[in-house]
Amino acid sequence: MKNLTVGDVMTTAVLTARPAMPLKEAARVLHDRHISALPVLDEDDRLVGIVSERDVLLAQSAPIPRDAHWWEAPARRDELRRRSGDTVGHVMTTKVVTTVADVPLARAARLMNRHGVKRLPVLDEAGRRLVGVVSRTDLLRAFLRSDDDIRADVRGEVLVHLLWQDPTAVEVEVVDGVVSLTGELGERSTAEAAERLVRRLDGVVDVVSHLTWRIDDGGLARRR
């Protein structure tokens, strides 16, 4: 059963910036292209940071404190650097949370939530080159699948290919992503497995199982 990955939904035509790009130019690109951030690449095309609308606005709106000194704590110096520069390299965020193309969408969503970010630069398998960007909007595509597509996966992927069951033995109803399963299968463990596998399908919001079985083999717990 193949779930959608970051590579399936990411944007590959990515606009990027260089550290030497003037802030005004970066602001113009963000505004004209209706995007909220730009990955920043060095001269070897390696990801070195990300500059967002917030970074640009902070630099433009926050005055430099008069009590700023070189011996300030690292976090404080970083803040002052970002508030005093006039290029992307001065204001960009350098600690960038990234991912790779084969990561499942659910894991990417958890990563975004954990770090409080709206987008993730996608690197190649070597972790060096930028191959795309995935945003929260991209992740939502997994939940916008039609009920008909979900129903087809329940029958074809779960019942036939994974469980080797007769799909006509189970009535599958899908309404707004909620899957209802009704019918009789051979074993209790198969019925439990069907419910669990359906829950893992992209776009499934919930599963209501009315499945029964002819043989109570103790279920999945006993098989373990």
Side-chain angles (χ1 to χ4, degrees):
M1 180 171 61
K2 183 183 183 300
N3 294 95
L4 291 176
T5 66
V6 165
D8 293 322
V9 302
M10 69 182 184
T11 299
T12 55
V14 182
L15 291 173
T16 61
R18 300 289 183 179
M21 175 185 282
L23 278 184
K24 287 189 176 181
E25 182 179 347
R28 187 177 301 110
V29 173
L30 292 171
H31 177 269
D32 292 348
R33 297 302 184 96
H34 304 287
I35 53 180
S36 59
L38 291 168
V40 185
L41 307 182
D42 66 10
E43 58 185 11
D44 296 319
D45 289 338
R46 293 176 300 188
L47 182 71
V48 293
I50 191 165
V51 60
S52 67
E53 293 172 322
R54 180 181 180 278
D55 297 326
V56 174
L57 292 174
L58 179 64
Q60 295 297 311
S61 63
I64 304 173
R66 293 182 179 179
D67 60 347
H69 300 289
W70 64 267
W71 58 79
E72 299 278 2
R76 173 68 168 168
R77 291 201 304 270
D78 183 66
E79 177 187 357
L80 297 176
R81 170 187 64 80
R82 298 174 65 193
R83 290 165 60 175
S84 62
D86 58 0
T87 66
V88 165
H90 281 104
V91 306
M92 68 183 183
T93 299
T94 55
K95 294 182 179 179
V96 185
V97 183
T98 63
T99 187
V100 293
D102 61 356
V103 166
L105 294 190
R107 190 185 306 171
R110 288 194 294 269
L111 191 61
M112 285 185 186
N113 184 63
R114 185 184 312 127
H115 293 277
V117 296
K118 298 179 180 179
R119 69 201 67 78
L120 297 170
V122 185
L123 303 181
D124 62 14
E125 293 181 356
R128 297 175 181 174
R129 300 186 65 85
L130 183 75
V131 296
V133 170
V134 63
S135 68
R136 289 180 180 177
T137 301
D138 296 327
L139 298 184
L140 286 176
R141 295 183 190 179
F143 297 97
L144 297 178
R145 300 183 67 214
S146 71
D147 291 342
D148 288 340
D149 287 342
I150 295 172
R151 184 183 298 107
D153 275 357
V154 172
R155 291 185 178 279
E157 292 295 325
V158 174
L159 294 176
V160 175
H161 294 297
L162 294 177
L163 298 178
W164 296 4
Q165 300 296 307
D166 178 2
T168 63
V170 178
E171 180 181 347
V172 181
E173 182 180 2
V174 185
V175 179
D176 294 332
V178 178
V179 180
S180 297
L181 304 173
T182 306
E184 183 181 67
L185 296 176
E187 300 170 330
R188 175 179 173 179
S189 59
T190 303
E192 291 178 355
E195 179 180 351
R196 293 192 183 188
L197 290 170
V198 170
R199 288 187 185 277
R200 292 171 53 189
L201 290 174
D202 290 322
V204 171
V205 176
D206 196 9
V207 178
V208 179
S209 178
H210 301 291
L211 293 174
T212 58
W213 48 85
R214 293 184 293 275
I215 300 173
D216 189 347
D217 59 354
L220 295 178
R222 176 172 294 183
R223 284 196 170 188
R224 294 195 189 97

